[in-house]
Amino acid sequence: MTLTTATVLPPAPASAARQVVRAVVLTSGAQPGLRALLDALAASSSRLDHVVVLDTSSDEAIADVLAAATSRTFSVEHVRLDSRMPDRVAVSRWVTSSDLADDDLLWLLPVGCVPESGALARLLAAHRRSPSVGFVGPKHVDASAPGALRSVGITTTRSGRIVEDPPLGEPDQGQYDLRRDVIAVPLAGMLATAGALRSLKGWERSFGDLGGDLDLGWRAQLAGHRVVVAPDARVRSVAALGLATATSGTRRRAARRVAMARAPWWQVPFLALWVLLSSVAAGIGLLLLKRPRAAAAAFSDAAALDLVRVVAARLRTRGGREVHHRDIGTLFVPASTIVRRSLDRAYEAVIAPSRLPDEGVRDPEGSSGLGRVLVHPALLAVLATLAVVVAAGRDIGGGLVSRFGSGVTGGELVTSRATASTLWHAAFDGWHGSGLGADGPASPSLAVLAIPTWVLEQLPGAGGLTSSAGAVVGALLVLALPLAALSAYISSRVITSSRSRPVRGAAALLWATTGAAGASVAQGRLGALVALVLLPAVLAGVVMLARPTGTATGAFATTLGAAVLGAFAPPLLALIVLTCLVLAVVGDNGARARALVPAVLAPLLLGPWLAAAVDDWALAATGPGLSHWGATSTEPLTLALLSPGGAGSMPWWVGALVVVAGLAGLAAPRRLRSVSTGAALLGLVSLAGVLAAPRLDLGSGATVVEGVVTPWVGTFLLPLTLALLASALLGIEALRGRARSSAVLGLALGSVVAAAALGWFGFGSVLRTWSDPRPAVAIEQAGNDLANRTLFVDPGPSGAAYRIVGRESGVLARDLPRDPANDALLAPEVSRLLDGSRVDAGPRLAQNAIGFVAVAESAGDDVARRLDSAQGLSRLASRGGYNLWRIAALGQSADRAVAPTRLSLVERGNPAFVATTGEHGATETTVTARDGSALVVAEPPAWADHATVEIDGRELTAAPGAARPTYAVPAGTHELTVEVLTENAWWRLLQGLAIAVVAFLSVPIGNRASRRRR
């Protein structure tokens, strides 16, 4: 360290009775703010005895600055220190090496802060109020905006969490002028006694700037030196000077280490654990609030657990404590305050602050909130649509609304006793489906439907439902059109102005009552019902992505909606992806990035089904209920007028209203990249799909009774109708005056006509309330530990057809012809049972867990007599047009079940009962076997490739060449576990994680203002 003295006036003699006041200026050469600081000291209303300039540079120009700032009231001493030495280290070394008296007062002023003229007098007054005061700090305000606060002392919790109090930039209105004792004050503007600095050994260098100030103040309080703030003493500061907020991760972690270094030794482990847990909890909470940067900062606070640095700092500054830790407890911010502030910020992040009445939101004079809701076009459109649905469903057997507790069947619906569990397993298990099962691809719509089905099962009184999944589908039949109207109304806001509410209401009613809407309900087309609700919202989301107001949240929300839409209507997902790719080509940079999110992620969210669709394009051309079985008789002109044919289709003149309105809207002027141009292109692509659908054979050569299988044209009529309505809305928007009024009136009348027509012509009688055709005993045995099946036989013109019904669920609506290879294994036994050619046909069926046989009464009395005389069959009461027989259990063992069972433990030809608790033979149970026993699973041989059988945790291997999966079981009592494996388990796990992430990112939590505040 080198000491030099500038050529300035000698110091004035000080009175022995008065404390010497020195201003210590910290600079690194002739900085721009040095002259302003010296001028401010000269203008101080309170006399300074001496000014010491601690210079940590080798800049020779500083001598000229100091000479020019010579004052008549104080002398200036220039002390040159080592280059690049931090300010706090410079002060500590100078105080230690100088001959200052212990009661000398040092006013520490780094270059960059400028005190107001009365600041020193107020600091001195605060210092002299009590002999215990060792440090006094001023109020710091922004140098460029003196009315904005920077700090009024440093505030923290016991765990070292720096509290932003006041918030940086808060207006100074005197609200903090009553603050006095604080835990610490910043270096800039601090008034300290030289003796206090010497006794405390200055600042601890390892804690940095803010941490060092906090540590010095904390140690001062424990040593009996009060630290106070004088809010009436104002200092204007810039950059990091006067900082009392942890603006970086380094400062936050340093403050945490200060707390661990100054806490009692026995509290340090608990404090370290608290820092770790609070950092992780805060990080997770911020992630849930969609604050990734703030979450990363919170997680990084765990790095404060550097105990080596904490112990070293504790050893370097040990000793001198005169005050107990609990005596300074009131200086810390209570934990309850932090919790309350965190909850307030979380609330602001989740729910945007509501606007006050004077912020531009005006209520119509004399209009009540309830009155506005009751006459709102959206509500009117939804209620009108609901009334139309009830009226149009008058011919559905059992009532459209009253008997959905049993589910609905007919048309494309295949209702059964489906539950949330059976749907979930049907979607994910490698061996799934009704009957004897299969290993082909499963529709992702089953997993989506399992969620509302599970919710329904948790409701009180849901136990009385015959089919919980059927009740969900039935509710969707009633609510799909009203929900579609609401979705269309909300989505139309994207392309129309706020003054077009009646127009949007009429368009919403039209969307729900024309085109393929009525046919979707009347024919039970499950995928189309979901598309009616989601398609307007997803396309509106795509439109928003192209606008400057588009957001990443909107991109992920569109992705999630498109993925759900693709699970039920894959052709429409392909249309959405195509639209996004076009937008990615013609849009600006922001729109391109946002459009690529749904274009890429939406198909990937469908998981392994996407790979199956790549191998078989027919899967992507249809969906649940979106196939047409049989020859198509609808003319192209009728299709162009939005009538798909079949039950629920509207007359051609209803669709003509929409077509005329849409074509008229195309005449409105537009830009090349406008929404109307996009609607026109969407309409052309959809029309091409409508015309091409009847020419696509999805059967792949499979023989079906109805003939060929093609995509249902109504799937492509949906986006065509939507495009025409969008064009009509844009055309009306472009009109003015009387022309606009006439167009609005015409659209309203058209919506009323369409709604009246759907209510008048109705849905027809294709759908009916479902009831289980099995007797109660068969239903019970299928659901309990026996898990057996019922065989239904229906005669036909070319022979008898049969189906096998068990506890498992299949599809809820037809899509593609199913491969009958596994169920066909029973064809010889069924034929021999019906013609009586083999007396043991019944026991052979029992080996496949067939416990009941139901033959249609139309098969004739001869077939009934043969079954009456068949071995192992006993007649039951007829039910629902079927003659019923029970099949007896096999074997003579005392342990045999009362009926055929899915799992059997066979010893010397005698099967013993093994409880079945899951789907397709899955179970967890205890078995007792003897030598030579074997477990036989009543499933096809291919089942063994998709299941594991374990005895006491050891996996067994199926016997080769057996007619049914057979496993040798060692003698003794064992824990048996049979598990049907999840198909593509790792892919499914990644798919679930991706869906969870996209769903989280699509939730519009928070607002941009709250993110900026954070």
Side-chain angles (χ1 to χ4, degrees):
M1 181 170 65
T2 305
L3 299 179
T4 63
T5 303
T7 307
V8 295
L9 292 176
S15 171
R18 188 175 65 84
Q19 287 179 296
V20 177
V21 181
R22 287 181 173 85
V24 181
V25 177
L26 306 170
T27 183
S28 57
Q31 293 177 285
L34 178 58
R35 185 183 300 274
L37 176 54
L38 294 174
D39 291 342
L41 294 178
S44 175
S45 62
S46 184
R47 178 178 176 272
L48 279 169
D49 297 302
H50 198 55
V51 174
V52 179
V53 179
L54 300 184
D55 180 17
T56 58
S57 74
S58 57
D59 188 1
E60 299 297 337
I62 191 173
D64 298 334
V65 177
L66 297 180
T70 298
S71 171
R72 295 188 298 271
T73 59
F74 56 78
S75 62
V76 178
E77 179 183 359
H78 181 203
V79 180
R80 195 180 295 275
L81 303 175
D82 294 341
S83 179
R84 296 184 299 276
M85 182 182 294
D87 290 345
R88 288 160 182 80
V89 177
V91 174
S92 299
R93 291 192 180 182
W94 176 73
V95 170
T96 302
S97 61
S98 63
D99 56 353
L100 299 172
D102 285 346
D103 61 348
D104 283 358
L105 292 176
L106 305 179
W107 192 19
L108 307 179
L109 296 166
V111 171
C113 64
V114 178
E116 295 183 353
S117 61
L120 178 58
R122 295 182 176 98
L123 290 173
L124 290 172
H127 183 272
R128 291 165 180 164
R129 286 193 184 101
S130 172
S132 61
V133 174
F135 300 90
V136 184
K139 176 196 294 182
H140 284 272
V141 296
D142 197 309
S144 59
L149 289 169
R150 290 178 61 83
S151 69
V152 188
I154 299 174
T155 53
T156 182
T157 64
R158 285 185 177 273
S159 62
R161 178 187 176 94
I162 297 295
V163 179
E164 190 180 10
D165 187 25
L168 197 62
E170 181 178 348
D172 181 14
Q173 299 174 337
Q175 64 271 41
Y176 298 96
D177 286 356
L178 297 180
R179 181 174 292 180
R180 288 293 178 264
D181 285 87
V182 292
I183 189 63
V185 293
L187 165 72
M190 176 195 295
L191 183 68
T193 59
L197 285 176
R198 282 200 189 103
S199 64
L200 295 172
K201 302 177 184 178
W203 287 262
E204 169 57 38
R205 184 173 184 174
S206 64
F207 292 141
D209 50 7
L210 178 63
D213 293 338
L214 175 61
D215 176 70
L216 179 67
W218 202 319
R219 287 188 288 120
Q221 295 282 7
L222 293 175
H225 302 290
R226 285 179 59 195
V227 181
V228 299
V229 67
D232 53 349
R234 289 165 48 99
V235 173
R236 303 182 184 185
S237 55
V238 298
L241 299 180
L243 187 69
T245 303
T247 56
S248 66
T250 302
R251 293 188 174 102
R252 286 194 308 273
R253 291 188 290 272
R256 295 287 198 177
R257 295 189 189 105
V258 169
M260 288 185 283
R262 301 309 154 211
W265 64 268
W266 59 270
Q267 291 183 2
V268 174
F270 301 101
L271 186 57
L273 180 61
W274 170 253
V275 170
L276 176 62
L277 295 179
S278 62
S279 300
V280 174
I284 294 175
L286 289 168
L287 279 179
L288 295 177
L289 293 175
K290 301 173 72 172
R291 302 292 188 271
R293 294 181 181 177
F299 284 127
S300 69
D301 287 351
L305 302 177
D306 187 350
L307 297 182
V308 174
R309 190 178 301 182
V310 170
V311 172
R314 195 182 188 103
L315 293 176
R316 282 193 295 265
T317 56
R318 66 182 180 274
R321 195 188 79 179
E322 296 184 5
V323 177
H324 199 275
H325 289 86
R326 62 173 173 267
D327 295 331
I328 63 172
T330 57
L331 301 177
F332 298 105
V333 177
S336 59
T337 301
I338 301 300
V339 172
R340 185 173 63 253
R341 290 185 179 182
S342 300
L343 293 177
D344 289 343
R345 288 187 176 182
Y347 178 82
E348 291 178 2
V350 175
I351 303 176
S354 58
R355 284 191 273 185
L356 297 175
D358 59 351
E359 293 181 320
V361 181
R362 298 181 179 178
D363 293 335
E365 189 173 339
S367 174
S368 65
L370 179 60
R372 293 196 306 274
V373 171
L374 293 178
V375 299
H376 197 284
L379 178 62
L380 295 179
V382 170
L383 293 178
T385 306
L386 182 61
V388 168
V389 170
V390 174
R394 59 188 177 275
D395 294 328
I396 293 180
L400 180 66
V401 179
S402 60
R403 295 190 59 187
F404 277 146
S406 300
V408 181
T409 189
E412 302 301 313
L413 293 178
V414 184
T415 310
S416 64
R417 282 185 180 268
T419 63
S421 176
T422 59
L423 290 177
W424 193 260
H425 285 285
F428 294 115
D429 286 353
W431 191 264
H432 53 263
S434 59
L436 298 184
D439 58 356
S443 172
S445 62
L446 296 175
V448 179
L449 284 173
I451 298 173
T453 301
W454 180 86
V455 173
L456 179 63
E457 291 172 351
Q458 310 311 309
L459 299 178
L465 295 174
T466 303
S467 171
S468 51
V472 169
V473 175
L476 186 59
L477 284 169
V478 176
L479 299 177
L481 295 188
L483 290 176
L486 181 61
S487 175
Y489 181 89
I490 297 174
S491 302
S492 62
R493 179 66 181 87
V494 175
I495 58 174
T496 59
S497 67
S498 59
R499 61 181 177 176
S500 302
R501 288 182 177 179
V503 177
R504 300 207 307 270
L509 187 58
L510 270 175
W511 164 248
T513 55
T514 59
S520 300
V521 176
Q523 300 172 27
R525 300 194 177 273
L526 182 59
L529 296 176
V530 176
L532 279 168
V533 179
L534 290 182
L535 186 59
V538 174
L539 285 175
V542 174
V543 172
M544 287 301 299
L545 297 181
R547 296 181 175 175
T549 55
T551 62
T553 298
F556 287 109
T558 303
T559 299
L560 187 63
V564 177
L565 179 64
F568 289 88
L572 298 183
L573 174 61
L575 182 64
I576 297 298
V577 171
L578 177 62
T579 305
C580 291
L581 291 177
V582 172
L583 178 58
V585 173
V586 303
D588 57 19
N589 291 335
R592 291 175 184 175
R594 292 190 294 268
L596 286 176
V597 173
V600 175
L601 289 185
L604 293 179
L605 292 183
L606 297 180
W609 179 90
L610 180 62
V614 172
D615 295 335
D616 185 3
W617 65 269
L619 292 174
T622 184
L626 299 184
S627 300
H628 181 78
W629 295 51
T632 302
S633 59
T634 308
E635 297 295 331
L637 181 59
T638 304
L639 294 177
L641 294 176
L642 310 180
S643 179
S649 296
M650 302 298 292
W652 65 267
W653 47 268
V654 176
L657 296 175
V658 180
V659 173
V660 170
L663 294 179
L666 292 176
R670 67 186 59 84
R671 296 180 293 107
L672 179 60
R673 297 184 181 182
S674 64
V675 176
S676 57
T677 302
L681 294 176
L682 176 66
L684 290 176
V685 173
S686 303
L687 182 59
V690 169
L691 298 177
R695 294 168 174 78
L696 295 177
D697 183 8
L698 303 179
S700 301
T703 302
V704 296
V705 176
E706 294 87 345
V708 298
V709 178
T710 59
W712 183 53
V713 294
T715 306
F716 305 95
L717 284 176
L718 292 176
L720 176 59
T721 303
L722 199 61
L724 290 170
L725 287 175
S727 177
L729 290 179
L730 291 169
I732 293 175
E733 194 71 18
L735 299 176
R736 294 292 182 270
R738 185 172 299 177
R740 176 184 173 86
S741 301
S742 300
V744 171
L745 180 60
L747 186 66
L749 290 177
S751 66
V752 172
V753 169
L758 181 58
W760 176 264
F761 291 103
F763 293 140
S765 57
V766 172
L767 300 180
R768 62 187 182 278
T769 303
W770 177 80
S771 61
D772 200 321
R774 296 174 294 176
V777 63
I779 297 173
E780 179 185 0
Q781 291 187 8
N784 63 19
D785 291 346
L786 296 172
N788 58 27
R789 304 176 172 110
T790 301
L791 176 71
F792 285 88
V793 182
D794 293 277
S798 58
Y802 67 87
R803 57 191 173 94
I804 303 169
V805 179
R807 67 166 50 176
E808 296 82 11
S809 296
V811 295
L812 296 181
R814 290 193 306 179
D815 44 21
L816 294 175
R818 177 185 169 212
D819 184 3
N822 295 312
D823 287 357
L825 296 175
L826 299 184
E829 310 305 332
V830 174
S831 298
R832 291 164 184 164
L833 178 66
L834 296 179
D835 61 19
S837 60
R838 190 162 184 170
V839 295
D840 62 345
R844 287 179 172 273
L845 290 176
Q847 292 177 353
N848 292 279
I850 304 297
F852 300 86
V853 176
V855 180
E857 295 176 349
S858 58
D861 294 337
D862 290 341
V863 173
R865 283 193 295 269
R866 295 189 194 106
L867 267 68
D868 285 337
S869 59
Q871 178 183 347
L873 269 69
S874 56
R875 189 78 173 257
L876 298 176
S878 300
R879 175 183 172 86
Y882 286 93
N883 294 320
L884 297 169
W885 287 266
R886 180 205 298 265
I887 299 181
L890 298 174
Q892 304 298 322
S893 171
D895 294 334
R896 74 179 188 277
V898 297
T901 180
R902 191 75 62 97
L903 298 177
S904 301
L905 195 62
V906 180
E907 178 193 358
R908 299 176 183 176
N910 289 317
F913 166 69
V914 176
T916 304
T917 59
E919 308 249 335
H920 284 294
T923 191
E924 290 185 6
T925 187
T926 301
V927 296
T928 300
R930 298 182 177 89
D931 290 336
S933 296
L935 176 71
V936 179
V937 184
E939 300 286 349
W943 172 90
D945 297 332
H946 303 275
T948 59
V949 177
E950 295 182 350
I951 288 291
D952 297 330
R954 180 173 60 87
E955 186 173 353
L956 305 181
T957 302
R964 285 165 294 282
T966 303
Y967 301 85
V969 180
T973 301
H974 308 282
E975 293 295 328
L976 171 66
T977 301
V978 180
E979 180 182 6
V980 180
L981 301 177
T982 300
E983 183 184 24
N984 302 304
W986 282 106
W987 195 347
R988 293 293 188 187
L989 177 60
L990 294 176
Q991 179 189 12
L993 291 176
I995 292 175
V997 171
V998 171
F1000 169 70
L1001 294 175
S1002 65
V1003 177
I1005 294 178
N1007 51 79
R1008 295 181 179 180
S1010 65
R1011 290 187 176 93
R1012 287 194 296 268
R1013 288 195 299 270
R1014 180 69 194 175

